[in-house]
Amino acid sequence: MIRHPLVFTDLDGTLLDHFTYSFEAAQPVLDYLDEKQVPVIANTSKTSAELIHIRKEINNTCPFIVENGAAVYLPKKRFVDCPEGCVDDGALWRYEMSRPRHHWLELLQQLKPRFHSLFTSFSCLTNEQLVKLTGLTSEQAERAAQREFGEPVLWHGNREDKHIFIQAVNELGGNVLQGGRFLHIGDKVNKGAAMQWLKQLYSKLYPESEFQSIALGDSQNDVDMLEQADHAVVIASPTHTAPELVRQSNLIHSKAYGPEGWTEALIQLLEIPAQALLKREK
Ligand SMILES: [Mg+2]
């Protein structure tokens, strides 16, 4: 039995439905975990602006991890004293695991003469262009554009030039991650390291409790988190094959997709009695 679970969850395709972004299927378990004071910590590639908005929608007041592990945000209501290494950010504390965006914008500026017409930086795109490129609404695109730790670029050149560009970024101390639509320029961060930092913080603050992490994710960028968690749940996806893991123990593959799979796995792992959820549906 897991006595002090910390739930680290990816959003798109995991807690949120891949197509509709609905979390309705997960609501009874979310309510149950809230009542039991089990933290549900979003761990996502999204920005803090996007997260603050989504957390309101799902009524979540827990810490959260943004931009693929670039930073951990801690609500001051839950973490009264500033944890070591954090900076003050209004109602939140922020622990940064990456250099800030302006560092990467300067790096790209340095590369502009060499690769002048081959890429467009996110910061140079208008909201209208972003909407067209991503399919997000204007408001969503505005929040997605508020990146703090890395810079996505749109690549216009061929593969060979892209390879040279990636090498040039590497030589300047940067890392390039190939996303669905963009190349992400930044530090080599990952969801796993950020999860481990936060788990250690919980252990430091509550030394009498033995915390166990549960990570849930559906994609390649969840692998570090899934490998390092005490318990891993790979959520089935309607659009891609499950990421392969090295670990074999304490591993669940959900049968259902997205939030249905999320619910199914947590009921099993946390031995949530059906009755506890049935009550909620009435
Ligand atoms: Mg996902």
Side-chain angles (χ1 to χ4, degrees):
M1 188 176 164
I2 305 172
R3 290 193 49 216
H4 296 286
L6 298 171
V7 176
F8 290 88
T9 182
D10 170 51
L11 292 179
D12 292 355
T14 299
L15 178 59
L16 308 178
D17 182 89
H18 179 84
F19 300 107
T20 64
Y21 300 104
S22 166
F23 57 91
E24 210 185 316
Q27 191 67 66
V29 171
L30 280 172
D31 290 344
Y32 174 84
L33 296 178
D34 188 45
E35 197 182 290
K36 297 284 174 200
Q37 297 185 339
V38 173
V40 176
I41 299 149
N43 195 350
T44 165
S45 57
K46 292 180 191 296
T47 65
S48 68
E50 289 175 291
L51 251 288
I52 287 167
H53 181 80
I54 291 170
R55 281 166 76 253
K56 269 190 200 141
E57 287 194 343
I58 60 176
N59 198 19
N60 177 299
T61 56
C62 296
F64 55 96
I65 299 167
V66 303
E67 297 188 40
N68 276 322
V72 182
Y73 282 86
L74 307 153
K76 287 183 184 172
K77 277 191 182 158
R78 285 175 177 249
F79 298 81
V80 178
D81 299 319
C82 180
E84 202 184 328
C86 287
V87 293
D88 194 322
D89 187 0
L92 303 156
W93 305 113
R94 185 177 70 234
Y95 184 77
E96 299 172 356
M97 302 187 85
S98 161
R99 283 170 283 182
R101 184 183 193 181
H102 68 77
H103 172 86
W104 307 108
L105 290 175
E106 280 164 21
L107 181 147
L108 288 168
Q109 209 51 45
Q110 260 178 279
L111 294 174
K112 206 68 196 170
R114 240 177 108 191
F115 300 92
H116 53 282
S117 59
L118 296 179
F119 71 86
T120 307
S121 169
F122 217 63
S123 61
C124 297
L125 296 170
T126 63
N127 183 273
E128 212 177 1
Q129 287 172 313
L130 261 183
V131 166
K132 259 195 198 149
L133 281 166
T134 58
L136 298 171
T137 66
S138 172
E139 292 76 29
Q140 286 169 336
E142 201 177 296
R143 290 191 286 267
Q146 292 176 42
R147 304 201 72 84
E148 296 171 290
F149 301 101
E151 180 67 359
V153 302
L154 202 55
W155 187 254
H156 310 297
N158 60 29
R159 285 175 73 132
E160 228 167 68
D161 285 336
K162 185 162 84 181
H163 188 71
I164 300 168
F165 173 74
I166 290 172
Q167 268 186 331
V169 174
N170 292 159
E171 276 161 23
L172 291 171
N175 183 58
V176 181
L177 203 76
Q178 174 82 60
R181 295 181 181 89
F182 298 96
L183 292 176
H184 293 266
I185 317 298
D187 267 317
K188 207 168 186 175
V189 291
N190 74 69
K191 291 183 175 187
M195 172 188 76
Q196 296 296 60
W197 180 84
L198 186 50
K199 187 190 167 195
Q200 273 168 24
L201 179 65
Y202 271 99
S203 302
K204 221 191 277 175
L205 294 175
Y206 307 96
E208 71 287 356
S209 306
E210 203 179 303
F211 291 99
Q212 287 200 51
S213 51
I214 300 174
L216 304 99
D218 71 314
S219 296
Q220 204 53 42
N221 68 340
D222 297 312
V223 165
D224 292 300
M225 157 171 91
L226 292 167
E227 291 285 12
Q228 292 175 46
D230 298 306
H231 299 267
V233 179
V234 177
I235 301 290
S237 166
T239 61
H240 57 257
T241 53
E244 285 202 19
L245 300 186
V246 176
R247 76 181 297 164
Q248 298 294 324
S249 62
N250 293 338
L251 170 64
I252 293 179
H253 282 86
S254 80
K255 290 190 186 71
Y257 301 143
E260 280 88 3
W262 192 92
T263 297
E264 163 203 321
L266 285 178
I267 287 175
Q268 184 187 332
L269 256 177
L270 300 174
E271 300 168 34
I272 304 174
Q275 252 180 334
L277 301 176
L278 274 177
K279 259 189 278 166
R280 239 159 280 272
E281 282 167 10
K282 277 180 194 164

